[in-house]
Each structure stands twice: as C-alpha cells, then as structure tokens.
Amino acid sequence: EVQLQQSGAELVRPGTSVKLSCKVSGDTITAYYMHFVKQRPGQGLEWIGRIDPEDDSTKYAEKFKNKATLTADTSSNTAYLKLSSLTSEDTATYFCTTGATSDYWGQGVMVTVSS
Amino acid sequence: DIVLTQSPALAVSLGQRATISCRASESVRSSMHWYQQKSGQQPKLLIYGASNLASGVPARFSGSGSGTDFTFTIDPVEADDIATYYCQQSRNDPYTFGAGTKLELK
C-alpha cells in the first residue's frame, strides 16, 4: 500500500523559511509526479506545483514561483516543499499528492506564520 | 491560467440527485477530475478524466462533459456525501482547481 507521510506542524516567524517533507512508502517515488497543494483555513485548494523525481524537473503556478521550491531525494523516497519569506498569507495546510493518475495524499501539514 | 468556475453551494435532500457544474475558461478536453473533501481531511478523488469512476468509489457518483463544460452528479445523495466538491483540470499548467461547491442538506 502506497502511503505519503508528511512532516509535523510548524509554527514559524514572518520573514523566515520552512521546509516540509513528504515521504513515500510502498513504492518508489520515481513512479510518480509529486504535487503540492495549499489550503488556507476555510478556503479552497490551490495547486502550488509539481516535481518529477526522475529528473528533478519542476512546474510551478505563477503565484508560487518566488515563494515555493520543490525538490526530491530518491535515496530517501522523499519530496520537499520549501516556502520562503513567510507571511501570514502562507498560514495554511499543505498537502502532497501523486495527482489524479493515482490519487495518493499525505495527511497535510499545518504551517502557522506568526510572531 | 485556466479558470474553473463552480457554484459555491448546493442544497439537496437525502435520496435526491445533486448536480454540480464546472465551467472552464478554455478547453481542457477531458482532463477534468472531481474531488470530495470532508472537513479536516485530505481530498479524495472520485472522478478522473471527466467521466471515469476512481477505484472503490460508489456508482452513484458520476461525471460527464468535455471541452469547457462539466457536470458531476450524485444520485441518490446519502448523508455521508455532505462535503465540499472540487473540480481540477490537468490539461495545462498550472493544474487549477475550482473554488469548490459545498453540498448542504435541505
């Protein structure tokens, strides 16, 4: 059974960065594109971008190009989302997912940006 | 970016049919998917490729459409279906979501 395990909740200061992890078990990460999705409290889903762990190629939504960086480590079967220059607008739950072709989701990680 | 437009809410009675629409700002062919999200949970894929039922999803869920106009149907609605439903296109980057339709009981 494929599972995506995300790192724990984060409380971070404005202006700093945070790196979230998403570990794949039950299969090799290179079998999937890894997508990340943002959901602010009480709001809808926003697609941040995706990475192909096979060659590290990435695609980002325009609004996240200077905010998010996606990386992957095939040796640990883990994808990462780094968020930089954090503001209150980045307070949200972040999900990793393998997309509609296979529909595996992480449990989500809550990031709270507060001083 | 492709904008997906959904109505914000739909009130329905148990046992009745619920129909949710999603209109794309340009053609996505059949690259449209439907997700269910319950409060505090991750989204769950119900329909992929506009009309294909995801694995393990009951047959009372269905999807149709192509191009710019898509429909998602639950028939009959059960109490467990109360959730928010999102369409998402994967035709073009970025893979945009609709704003979601909250299904409510009458």
Side-chain angles (χ1 to χ4, degrees), chain A residues 33 35 37 39 43-47 50 59-62 95 97 99-103 105-108, chain B residues 1 33 35 37 40-48 54 86 88 90 93-100:
Chain A
Y33 283 2
H35 304 248
V37 174
Q39 187 168 40
Q43 303 300 308
L45 304 170
E46 285 186 274
W47 186 81
R50 71 170 185 273
K59 293 283 188 182
Y60 296 93
E62 188 66 33
F95 295 98
T97 173
T101 54
S102 45
D103 194 42
W105 288 76
Q107 78 276 22
Chain B
D1 296 1
H33 321 294
Y35 293 87
Q37 188 181 32
Q41 297 184 18
Q42 62 267 58
K44 175 187 176 182
L45 180 71
L46 301 181
I47 301 289
Y48 66 94
Y86 296 91
Q88 185 201 25
S90 61
D93 292 316
Y95 285 7
T96 43
F97 286 95

Side-chain angles (χ1 to χ4, degrees), chain B residues 48-94:
Chain B
Y48 66 94
S51 60
N52 301 290
L53 202 62
S55 177
V57 175
R60 54 199 182 76
F61 295 95
S62 64
S64 64
S66 66
T68 60
D69 290 297
F70 298 86
T71 300
F72 172 79
T73 301
I74 311 171
D75 190 10
V77 170
E78 298 184 358
D80 189 51
D81 300 334
I82 300 308
T84 299
Y85 293 85
Y86 296 91
C87 55
Q88 185 201 25
Q89 64 82 22
S90 61
R91 175 66 182 162
N92 288 342
D93 292 316

Side-chain angles (χ1 to χ4, degrees), chain A residues 92-111:
Chain A
T93 297
Y94 294 85
F95 295 98
C96 60
T97 173
T98 56
T101 54
S102 45
D103 194 42
Y104 299 112
W105 288 76
Q107 78 276 22
V109 55
M110 180 69 196
V111 174

Side-chain angles (χ1 to χ4, degrees), chain A residues 72-92:
Chain A
D73 179 359
T74 55
S75 67
S76 63
N77 242 25
T78 303
Y80 298 92
L81 166 65
K82 181 180 178 181
L83 301 167
S84 59
S85 303
L86 292 164
T87 73
S88 59
E89 299 292 302
D90 300 313
T91 293

Side-chain angles (χ1 to χ4, degrees), chain B residues 2-74:
Chain B
I2 295 177
V3 177
L4 302 180
T5 302
Q6 297 181 244
S7 51
L10 176 66
V12 63
S13 301
L14 294 178
Q16 299 301 304
R17 174 185 298 175
T19 301
I20 297 171
S21 64
C22 178
R23 174 163 287 178
S25 59
E26 61 186 86
S27 176
V28 300
R29 297 196 180 180
S30 62
S31 299
M32 183 65 76
H33 321 294
W34 291 92
Y35 293 87
Q36 176 193 66
Q37 188 181 32
K38 298 181 179 178
S39 181
Q41 297 184 18
Q42 62 267 58
K44 175 187 176 182
L45 180 71
L46 301 181
I47 301 289
Y48 66 94
S51 60
N52 301 290
L53 202 62
S55 177
V57 175
R60 54 199 182 76
F61 295 95
S62 64
S64 64
S66 66
T68 60
D69 290 297
F70 298 86
T71 300
F72 172 79
T73 301
I74 311 171

